[in-house]
Amino acid sequence: MKTWKDIANTQPIVTKMITNMIKRNRVAHAYLFQGQKGTGKEEMSLLLAKSIFCQFKEEGEPCQTCKDCIRITSGNHPDVHKLIPDGASIKKEQILHLQKEFTYTGLESNQKVYIIVDADKMTTNAANRLLKFLEEPNKKTTAILLTANGEAMLDTIRSRCQIMSLQPLNSEQMQGKLQEQGITEANARLFAALTQQIDEANLLNQDEWFAQARKLVVQLTGMLQTNSEEVLLFVQKQWMLHFANREQLQLGLDLLLLWYKDVMYTHIDKEESIIFIAYREEVEKGSMYWSNQDTTAILYSIMGAKKHLEQNVHPTLVMEQLTLQMQR
């Protein structure tokens, strides 16, 4: 379980701001934690909730062992509510249900905490509904909004929140920490590019599914160069079977992004930035096949595919269209 002391190692400024507020009993009625995936937004939101409810905290640090802390960790605290997107978005009905909860007295105290994950994915109607709570805050209610894209939030919502901007981890430091734990340089370099959470990186290191995902990326890029007429069949029969849901396919697209960035790094003589160092020869072959202009176009196509997935376009259609765009 993370503590404020742990988080201060990677987010010193935000941690100091929050712990000072807790010590002075000046917790805001609404926070917006904005930062890239892996910067610890959700961990910080749960830790803040613990700091609010824990009766045994010291210097703002929750005890982690009392009834309130344990139930928040397990997701079973009756007065801590977490809202996540329903499909591709957070809908008006979800906010209406949340507003209804606002009217009830807390089951064990008058304090309540609401955590809204991926708050930037609220529909316009949902965001406007949320404004009512933010405009008329209850002293005993704290809202915590989490987003990787703060600029996508309505200005009217941002202006009513205490904004906490989380800084991305230094990838070199992350890679070093992973290698200290026995992860190979090649794997540590890749994991540091995909996540900023050591625990998640360790899980990836032990995950046979991920190891196969990386092989499929290498196989797909190789087929595009040498056997392009079979690529669509490969995508249908192998790629889509392995990347079976939207989350997995997003990870597959992230790996493709990193691969083609490596091709770009080779073009501009920045080989020290290459991520797929275990496949340097294959990356170099790719740089001879795809021009700088080709590579740039493919990178934009992959980012477009990721956006289409978020917009609920059928995964197979997204991947087939991308495959056609990657073919010269």
Side-chain angles (χ1 to χ4, degrees):
M1 290 177 287
K2 292 285 187 180
T3 65
W4 288 121
K5 185 177 180 180
D6 294 331
I7 292 177
N9 292 326
T10 55
Q11 302 293 343
I13 297 175
V14 169
T15 299
K16 186 173 183 179
M17 291 172 65
I18 293 176
T19 52
N20 282 342
M21 290 178 188
I22 295 167
K23 293 173 187 176
R24 297 171 185 171
N25 198 27
R26 293 183 179 176
V27 175
H29 77 277
Y31 290 92
L32 175 61
F33 289 171
Q34 58 182 24
Q36 298 175 6
K37 179 182 178 182
T39 49
K41 297 184 293 295
E42 196 159 343
E43 289 177 332
M44 292 184 75
S45 69
L46 294 175
L47 195 52
L48 177 54
K50 290 177 184 178
S51 297
I52 290 171
F53 283 97
C54 181
Q55 300 298 311
F56 306 100
K57 58 181 174 285
E58 295 183 3
E59 295 296 306
E61 195 77 69
C63 71
Q64 303 281 8
T65 58
C66 70
K67 178 177 67 175
D68 286 314
C69 286
I70 291 173
R71 287 190 296 178
I72 291 172
T73 298
S74 64
N76 293 319
H77 197 289
D79 295 320
V80 177
H81 302 264
K82 184 162 77 169
L83 189 65
I84 62 175
D86 178 12
S89 63
I90 295 174
K91 299 174 174 58
K92 178 181 70 175
E93 291 73 21
Q94 292 177 272
I95 302 299
L96 286 172
H97 178 74
L98 202 57
Q99 285 181 314
K100 188 175 181 181
E101 289 286 341
F102 296 166
T103 64
Y104 300 147
T105 301
L107 294 179
E108 298 184 4
S109 70
N110 289 329
Q111 181 69 55
K112 285 193 170 190
V113 171
Y114 302 91
I115 300 169
I116 303 181
V117 179
D118 292 334
D120 57 289
K121 294 183 179 179
M122 285 187 288
T123 64
T124 300
N125 287 336
N128 287 329
R129 287 286 181 179
L130 182 67
L131 274 175
K132 182 176 182 181
F133 163 69
L134 297 175
E135 290 170 346
E136 303 172 4
N138 183 307
K139 289 183 179 179
K140 293 292 186 179
T141 301
T142 302
I144 308 173
L145 282 57
L146 314 181
T147 177
N149 186 12
E151 297 305 315
M153 304 286 294
L154 291 178
D155 288 339
T156 45
I157 289 180
R158 290 175 58 86
S159 66
R160 288 163 176 79
C161 296
Q162 181 80 45
I163 297 177
M164 298 291 174
S165 297
L166 280 61
Q167 299 302 310
L169 292 181
N170 183 306
S171 59
E172 291 182 4
Q173 291 178 337
M174 178 70 172
Q175 180 182 336
K177 288 182 179 181
L178 294 176
Q179 288 185 242
E180 287 173 5
Q181 296 188 8
I183 295 178
T184 65
E185 180 186 0
N187 281 351
R189 198 172 182 88
L190 178 58
F191 301 153
L194 289 171
T195 179
Q196 296 183 328
Q197 296 184 17
I198 290 177
D199 291 345
E200 185 176 347
N202 280 316
L203 289 175
L204 289 175
N205 192 50
Q206 302 166 22
D207 190 350
E208 292 183 8
W209 179 92
F210 180 80
Q212 180 62 22
R214 178 169 45 190
K215 290 178 182 178
L216 286 173
V217 168
V218 176
Q219 191 173 353
L220 174 60
T221 55
M223 288 187 69
L224 284 165
Q225 298 170 65
T226 61
N227 196 14
S228 61
E229 66 275 6
E230 298 293 331
V231 171
L232 276 177
L233 184 61
F234 170 79
V235 167
Q236 294 165 353
K237 298 296 185 181
Q238 296 190 51
W239 182 278
M240 296 308 301
L241 286 178
H242 191 74
F243 300 100
N245 58 49
R246 290 178 186 275
E247 183 178 355
Q248 290 176 343
L249 186 51
Q250 285 285 14
L251 180 54
L253 293 176
D254 286 337
L255 289 170
L256 274 175
L257 266 178
L258 292 175
W259 176 273
Y260 280 101
K261 283 182 178 179
D262 284 353
V263 173
M264 181 67 75
Y265 290 142
T266 304
H267 278 300
I268 61 177
D269 295 325
K270 287 189 63 176
E271 295 192 3
E272 71 279 3
S273 299
I274 288 177
I275 300 299
F276 280 86
I277 57 175
Y279 297 93
R280 191 180 296 271
E281 184 178 341
E282 287 84 351
V283 170
E284 289 178 355
K285 288 180 180 178
S287 70
M288 290 185 284
Y289 182 79
W290 288 288
S291 68
N292 203 329
Q293 185 176 359
D294 292 334
T295 307
T296 301
I298 290 173
L299 286 170
Y300 277 113
S301 295
I302 296 171
M303 289 186 285
K306 288 177 64 63
K307 186 175 182 180
H308 289 150
L309 266 186
E310 291 178 356
Q311 294 170 340
N312 227 24
V313 179
H314 194 282
T316 301
L317 178 60
V318 168
M319 197 60 208
E320 288 178 349
Q321 288 179 337
L322 175 60
T323 301
L324 293 173
Q325 291 166 340
M326 289 192 297
Q327 288 178 312
R328 279 202 329 189

